[in-house]
């Protein structure tokens, strides 16, 4: 028998991931819609929004930034090897270093 489905409001899931990013100093990734993903950087004050097929809308990035309570965020684009991501950084958060790669934390 499978476990019952639990519905979590997206705002709650984003804030939980933001707290983990801050507490563990590790990037947290969530699928927040059909072909829409967010990677919240260590510190919880900047994120990448991306799609595997296409590009995310700025309105989605603005909604995520509002849910994460980012102050005066700046928006830009990052071209990776295979994806173009929308970057969002809270004012003053650009200096928070990324954590080194390692095993995933289960907290």
């Amino acid at each position: 028998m499978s476990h019952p489905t639990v519905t979590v409001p997206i705002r709650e899931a984003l804030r939980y991931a933001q707290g983990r990013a801050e507490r563990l100093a590790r990037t947290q990734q969530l699928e927040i819609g059909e072909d829409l993903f967010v990677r919240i950087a260590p510190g919880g004050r900047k994120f990448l929004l991306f799609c595997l097929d296409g590009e995310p809308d700025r309105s989605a990035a603005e909604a995520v930034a509002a849910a994460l309570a980012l102050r005066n965020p700046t928006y830009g684009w990052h071209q990776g090897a295979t994806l173009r991501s929308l970057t969002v950084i809270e004012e003053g958060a650009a200096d928070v270093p990324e954590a080194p790669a390692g095993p995933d934390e289960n907290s």
Side-chain angles (χ1 to χ4, degrees):
M1 179 179 219
S2 65
H3 296 288
T5 300
V6 175
T7 301
V8 177
I10 189 66
R11 182 178 305 266
E12 186 178 316
L14 285 167
R15 288 183 179 160
Y16 177 77
Q18 181 184 37
R20 280 180 54 92
E22 184 175 7
R23 187 174 68 256
L24 301 175
R26 295 190 51 83
T27 299
Q28 303 296 303
Q29 181 170 312
L30 293 171
E31 183 174 6
I32 58 173
E34 186 175 328
D35 192 32
L36 183 61
F37 302 85
V38 63
R39 291 188 62 140
I40 303 172
R45 309 317 296 171
K46 57 186 176 178
F47 65 88
L48 292 175
L49 192 65
F50 65 95
C51 301
L52 298 177
D53 187 29
E55 295 180 351
D57 292 326
R58 179 170 167 142
S59 61
E62 290 170 348
V64 172
L68 297 177
L70 300 188
R71 295 178 308 274
N72 300 319
T74 58
Y75 300 85
W77 289 97
H78 171 74
Q79 181 63 55
T82 59
L83 299 172
R84 184 173 152 151
S85 304
L86 189 52
T87 62
V88 183
I89 302 172
E90 182 180 71
E91 185 175 58
D95 298 328
V96 176
E98 294 287 328
D104 188 29
E105 301 287 337
N106 291 319
S107 318

